[in-house]
């Protein structure tokens, strides 16, 4: 992305009427072009002197290129870091191979550096479940405890981009993921029962939908879809996409979800024919199969996922991985709430509150 495109993006994000704006830098790895990150942060900060919005900056990175000077800059501008930690060394290095075969070690060095310069809570981590992960749910959870994280997000592999091309090597069924997830969650609950604070983000999102009147705004469970409405992706190819998943589809040749070129006014982006299709195909009250579903109030179709899986935004949602997995999760947690003791219920209500919420 050029400096000119960066400047244009920085101006157009303020077309949003939202009082709180989250600006996330993804890649590749944004730290490889830290000059562009600096340009964006400084330009947005200047504009915001007039706009007076609440800003939140996040950089998603392996942290392999992180330096002490970068950390000092990020601390000055209240920037948070997000990285990937898939589990113990052997598993992480297998999932995220690099030429030197030490991806895990480099990431841990980056985490330690960020915490030392920017503070303990300056960096969060996410994991992705591959076929290689399925035998190690307890080890993965223990890895997060070992390194002092207070949250773990047990996420399935998404059928997008290059992951879809390698699905035979990396993929698994919804049923297989469900069995893995149950074991991982039980390990999270074990640590909580033993005085170690650890929040599981998937559980928190589902419990938020069920138990809290204050919706966390998770894009993938919104109806209409949050893709394009709650989030936009400005990509290095000069185009705007409704989500990171849509951008990944374009990387592998499906450019059907491009909304507009960078520089287009927000109104033009949101009134595009693609955006109209996304909205109409994600209305849970009008979509066959969803309208009659018991979980209708909590969920919605995922048209971007349908495009990735079936080549159409309007594929029947009940055929999709998103629907099968979401229905299992809601069913699982309703049953768990119905049969659990007071200790779990207290934890569930705490997890159900949106992050940063002061609601009791």
């Amino acid at each position: 992305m050029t400096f000119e495109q960066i400047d244009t993006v920085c101006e157009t994000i303020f077309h949003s009427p939202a009082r709180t704006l989250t600006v996330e830098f993804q890649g590749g790895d944004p730290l490889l072009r830290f000059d562009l990150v600096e340009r964006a942060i400084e330009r947005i900060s200047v504009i915001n002197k007039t706009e007076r919005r609440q800003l939140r900056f996040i950089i998603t990175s392996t942290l392999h290129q992180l330096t002490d000077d970068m950390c000092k800059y990020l601390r000055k501008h209240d920037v948070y870091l997000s990285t990937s930690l898939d589990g113990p060394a052997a598993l992480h290095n297998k999932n995220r191979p690099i030429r030197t075969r030490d991806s895990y070690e480099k990431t841990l060095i980056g985490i330690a550096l960020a915490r030392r310069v920017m503070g303990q809570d300056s960096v969060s981590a996410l994991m992705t479940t591959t076929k290689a992960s399925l035998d190690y749910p307890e080890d993965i959870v223990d890895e997060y405890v070992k390194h002092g994280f207070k949250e773990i997000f047990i996420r399935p592999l998404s059928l997008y981009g290059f992951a879809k091309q390698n699905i035979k090597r990396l993929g698994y069924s919804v049923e297989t993921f469900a069995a893995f997830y149950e074991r991982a969650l039980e390990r999270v609950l074990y640590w909580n029962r033993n005085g170690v604070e650890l929040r599981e983000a998937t559980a928190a999102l589902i419990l938020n939908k069920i138990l809290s009147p204050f919706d966390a705004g998770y894009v993938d469970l919104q109806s209409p879809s949050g893709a394009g409405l709650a989030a936009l992706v400005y990509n290095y190819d000069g185009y705007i996409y409704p989500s990171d998943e849509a951008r990944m589809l374009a990387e592998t040749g499906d450019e059907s979800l491009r909304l507009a070129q960078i520089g287009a006014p927000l109104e033009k982006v949101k009134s595009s024919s693609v955006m109209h299709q996304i909205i109409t195909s994600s209305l849970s009250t009008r979509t066959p199969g969803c309208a009659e579903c018991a979980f209708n109030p909590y969920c919605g179709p995922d048209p971007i996922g349908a495009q990735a899986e079936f080549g159409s935004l309007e594929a029947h949602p009940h055929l999709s991985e998103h629907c099968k997995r979401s229905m299992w999760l809601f069913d699982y947690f309703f049953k768990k709430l119905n049969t659990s003791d007071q200790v779990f219920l207290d934890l569930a209500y705490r997890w159900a509150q949106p992050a940063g919420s002061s609601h009791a």
Side-chain angles (χ1 to χ4, degrees):
M1 188 175 285
T2 66
F3 284 118
E4 292 75 16
Q5 287 175 322
I6 287 286
D7 290 345
T8 300
V9 170
C10 293
E11 291 165 9
T12 55
I13 64 172
F14 284 98
H15 293 178
S16 169
R19 297 312 305 167
T20 300
L21 297 172
T22 298
V23 180
E24 183 167 348
F25 302 93
Q26 299 184 359
D29 197 315
L31 298 187
L32 293 170
R33 287 300 308 271
F34 196 66
D35 57 328
L36 293 178
V37 174
E38 290 178 300
R39 174 86 167 215
I41 290 173
E42 288 165 18
R43 180 65 182 146
I44 290 169
S45 298
V46 167
I47 297 172
N48 201 47
K49 289 180 180 179
T50 301
E51 290 285 341
R52 299 183 181 278
R53 311 287 184 94
Q54 185 72 34
L55 296 177
R56 186 166 187 256
F57 294 111
I58 302 171
I59 294 176
T60 299
S61 166
T62 63
L63 305 183
H64 294 182
Q65 288 77 35
L66 190 67
T67 67
D68 192 82
D69 285 342
M70 286 180 183
C71 288
K72 290 175 182 176
Y73 179 88
L74 299 177
R75 181 183 62 191
K76 177 182 175 182
H77 292 276
D78 295 322
V79 181
Y80 292 88
L81 292 167
S82 177
T83 194
S84 295
L85 182 62
D86 283 349
L91 177 59
H92 184 93
N93 287 335
K94 182 174 184 178
N95 282 356
R96 302 179 187 275
I98 58 175
R99 181 179 54 82
T100 52
R101 301 182 181 181
D102 58 350
S103 176
Y104 171 86
E105 291 78 7
K106 288 180 181 293
T107 293
L108 289 189
I109 290 171
I111 291 171
L113 174 61
R115 286 173 168 173
R116 177 172 60 81
V117 179
M118 300 167 61
Q120 181 68 22
D121 296 329
S122 62
V123 57
S124 61
L126 299 171
M127 61 80 63
T128 298
T129 307
T130 65
K131 188 179 289 186
S133 310
L134 295 173
D135 291 331
Y136 306 102
E138 293 83 7
D139 300 276
I140 292 168
V141 172
D142 291 355
E143 189 73 17
Y144 276 70
V145 172
K146 175 182 175 181
H147 297 294
F149 288 102
K150 294 181 180 179
E151 179 167 289
I152 183 171
F153 195 170
I154 307 296
R155 303 188 306 164
L157 187 70
S158 297
L159 295 172
Y160 299 103
F162 299 106
K164 184 176 181 180
Q165 294 179 353
N166 293 289
I167 196 63
K168 289 185 178 179
R169 180 170 60 88
L170 301 174
Y172 42 80
S173 67
V174 171
E175 293 76 16
T176 300
F177 175 75
F180 167 84
Y181 179 84
E182 286 191 58
R183 285 177 58 186
L185 181 63
E186 284 304 313
R187 190 63 173 176
V188 171
L189 297 178
Y190 161 83
W191 283 113
N192 278 275
R193 287 193 298 269
N194 284 274
V196 177
E197 179 186 350
L198 186 65
R199 182 176 187 259
E200 200 290 297
T202 296
L205 290 167
I206 300 300
L207 292 167
N208 169 259
K209 287 288 185 178
I210 297 172
L211 298 175
S212 176
F214 306 102
D215 195 286
Y218 185 57
V219 169
D220 291 355
L221 292 177
Q222 291 181 6
S223 178
S225 172
L229 295 179
L232 287 172
V233 173
Y234 296 84
N235 198 35
Y236 71 90
D237 63 0
Y239 287 91
I240 304 171
Y241 295 88
S243 68
D244 191 49
E245 291 78 13
R247 175 197 65 80
M248 287 191 283
L249 284 177
E251 297 285 350
T252 51
D254 183 353
E255 301 172 348
S256 62
L257 298 182
R258 284 176 171 172
L259 298 178
Q261 288 186 305
I262 288 176
L266 185 61
E267 287 306 311
K268 180 179 179 181
V269 173
K270 295 205 170 185
S271 63
S272 69
S273 59
V274 174
M275 198 65 243
H276 178 74
Q277 285 181 281
I278 291 172
I279 292 170
T280 56
S281 59
S282 64
L283 295 173
S284 62
T285 56
R286 296 172 55 182
T287 302
C290 288
E292 304 81 20
C293 180
F295 304 126
N296 180 283
Y298 312 111
C299 193
D302 176 17
I304 311 300
Q307 180 69 32
E309 210 171 337
F310 305 109
S312 170
L313 293 171
E314 299 178 354
H316 198 292
H318 278 195
L319 299 175
S320 70
E321 294 280 318
H322 167 78
C323 181
K324 294 173 185 176
R325 185 170 58 250
S326 297
M327 288 185 70
W328 177 81
L329 282 166
F330 281 113
D331 186 61
Y332 173 76
F333 279 103
F334 269 110
K335 289 177 179 176
K336 195 164 186 66
L337 288 168
N338 191 46
T339 58
S340 290
D341 58 20
Q342 192 61 45
V343 174
F344 176 78
L345 291 176
D346 290 343
L347 185 67
Y349 274 100
R350 288 202 303 276
W351 285 3
Q353 302 310 316
S357 171
S358 61
H359 303 298

